[in-house]
Amino acid sequence: MQSPPIKMKPENRPDVFHYHDLVNFLNDWFTFLRKTRSDFNARNFAQQSGVALGYMNMILSRQRPLSEKAFLKIIPHLSLASDEQTFLNLLRTLGQSEDSNSRLTALNEMMKFKKFKVTNKKENRAYEYLTKWYYAAIYEMFNLDSFQHDAKWIQRQLKKKVALSEVEQALSFLKDHNFVRQNSDGKWSQASAHVDCTEGIFKISLAEFHKQMLNLAHDSIHSANRDERYIMGQTMAISRENFDQIKQIIQQAIKQINEVNKNLSPKENVYQIEIAAFPLLHMSEEK
């Protein structure tokens, strides 16, 4: 039988919508249950849920992941409301799934919870900016000498079609979150905005950003003139040591490109500079 949700004072009850990590919540929640229920202990919980006590201890100490099968066994006995149960399962997927699409889907579903969005404003800000490629493009358009602060003008400049309502939403986001500001002369310009949030959510959002940009790179082969684009690459067999050195070279190249772009020459277009290195084979880890 499923236990009813525990009603306690908000300051005493761990709020799952404040958490980004499944194990952190479970440890805090079990501590809370021990303090508020005289009949609660780890052994009884394991027996009631049908999950081995040793396995539960390994989950709580991060020695084993919480499988979907075990999650479905323990969730009725955690005394959580239905929306809390759903959110907790999304946390499990976010932290444990090996599939990037599953993690992104879980993050998308998490962002639908108003309680999570209200209590995790940094995460919501980074998620919205990074998972919609045209936000970054429009943000950079504020640097153009020819920039016009007009949603229809902006829409016409974007190579990939974006709905006018989405352009207007992007402009509202950039203003509301202080990415851009209006100067004393009435013109708009970039402000010093920084995208930051919890590491796991940031990485998933950033991965989606690069995925969208790489898709646009693919489209540019057909949609952009040769003199407007520069795409090249090298296929090679390398060692792990060489890969680490290559990453350092790429990082240095990005720094040098940023230095070049600091000159005062007129800004005429918005480019995505995407340098990538990725494996083409699925090799065994066995020596």
Side-chain angles (χ1 to χ4, degrees):
M1 181 181 296
Q2 181 168 331
S3 303
I6 298 176
K7 295 183 179 180
M8 293 291 293
K9 294 180 179 179
E11 62 269 20
N12 295 330
R13 188 181 193 275
D15 187 350
V16 68
F17 298 105
H18 281 79
Y19 286 78
H20 308 105
D21 181 84
L22 168 75
V23 176
N24 285 345
F25 174 77
L26 288 178
N27 277 298
D28 289 349
W29 188 249
F30 284 172
T31 298
F32 169 73
L33 291 177
R34 282 192 290 268
K35 290 179 178 179
T36 55
R37 283 174 46 181
S38 58
D39 63 333
F40 181 84
N41 61 63
R43 186 173 297 279
N44 288 341
F45 179 82
Q47 290 177 346
Q48 292 171 1
S49 61
V51 175
L53 178 59
Y55 177 56
M56 278 304 307
N57 289 334
M58 285 191 287
I59 291 169
L60 297 177
S61 60
R62 301 185 188 277
Q63 297 179 53
R64 292 280 298 275
L66 176 59
S67 68
E68 182 178 9
K69 182 178 179 180
F71 178 84
L72 294 175
K73 286 183 177 181
I74 70 170
I75 195 65
H77 305 279
L78 287 177
S79 299
L80 294 171
S82 59
D83 60 340
E84 294 174 318
Q85 294 180 18
T86 301
F87 187 84
L88 190 62
N89 196 27
L90 292 172
L91 277 184
R92 186 187 67 84
T93 302
L94 187 73
Q96 296 182 179
S97 177
E98 296 294 330
D99 179 63
S100 59
N101 289 329
S102 296
R103 293 196 300 271
L104 180 62
T105 299
L107 182 56
N108 290 338
E109 292 300 313
M110 287 169 61
M111 289 297 171
K112 294 179 182 179
F113 285 86
K114 184 178 180 180
K115 293 178 182 178
F116 180 77
K117 293 178 69 173
V118 169
T119 57
N120 295 273
K121 293 182 179 179
K122 288 195 305 180
E123 282 69 22
N124 181 54
R125 180 174 182 260
Y127 165 82
E128 184 167 357
Y129 182 78
L130 291 173
T131 57
K132 298 175 181 176
W133 68 268
Y134 52 91
Y135 276 41
I138 293 173
Y139 172 63
E140 284 300 320
M141 289 176 75
F142 280 80
N143 282 327
L144 298 176
D145 288 16
S146 61
F147 179 71
Q148 295 181 29
H149 188 265
D150 176 74
K152 291 183 178 179
W153 181 87
I154 293 171
Q155 183 192 37
R156 289 197 300 270
Q157 310 314 311
L158 295 170
K159 274 188 171 292
K160 187 176 179 65
K161 186 175 180 181
V162 176
L164 183 62
S165 61
E166 292 176 320
V167 174
E168 292 170 340
Q169 182 181 2
L171 285 172
S172 296
F173 173 90
L174 295 173
K175 294 174 185 177
D176 292 345
H177 293 277
N178 301 315
F179 280 76
V180 296
R181 60 171 175 241
Q182 191 171 25
N183 304 319
S184 57
D185 60 2
K187 294 183 179 179
W188 287 84
S189 64
Q190 285 186 351
S192 299
H194 181 63
V195 178
D196 189 22
C197 72
T198 303
E199 183 178 358
I201 294 175
F202 179 79
K203 284 185 175 180
I204 293 170
S205 302
L206 186 60
E208 176 61 16
F209 174 80
H210 286 299
K211 177 182 176 181
Q212 293 180 14
M213 285 300 181
L214 288 170
N215 285 335
L216 291 173
H218 171 270
D219 294 343
S220 74
I221 295 174
H222 307 286
S223 64
N225 296 328
R226 285 187 178 184
D227 59 349
E228 291 181 326
R229 57 178 168 82
Y230 183 74
I231 300 175
M232 66 173 298
Q234 178 76 38
T235 306
M236 61 181 72
I238 62 174
S239 66
R240 179 68 210 189
E241 180 182 356
N242 287 348
F243 180 60
D244 290 337
Q245 293 178 6
I246 289 169
K247 287 195 295 184
Q248 293 176 11
I249 294 171
I250 291 174
Q251 291 167 1
Q252 187 61 36
I254 291 294
K255 289 181 181 179
Q256 292 176 356
I257 291 170
N258 280 324
E259 288 300 318
V260 169
N261 202 40
K262 287 181 179 179
N263 62 47
L264 299 178
S265 58
K267 302 296 188 290
E268 301 166 341
N269 205 332
V270 175
Y271 271 71
Q272 171 71 11
I273 311 297
E274 194 77 33
I275 305 175
F278 50 90
L280 299 180
L281 307 179
H282 181 69
M283 299 299 293
S284 171
E285 293 296 326
E286 296 179 8
K287 301 294 183 182

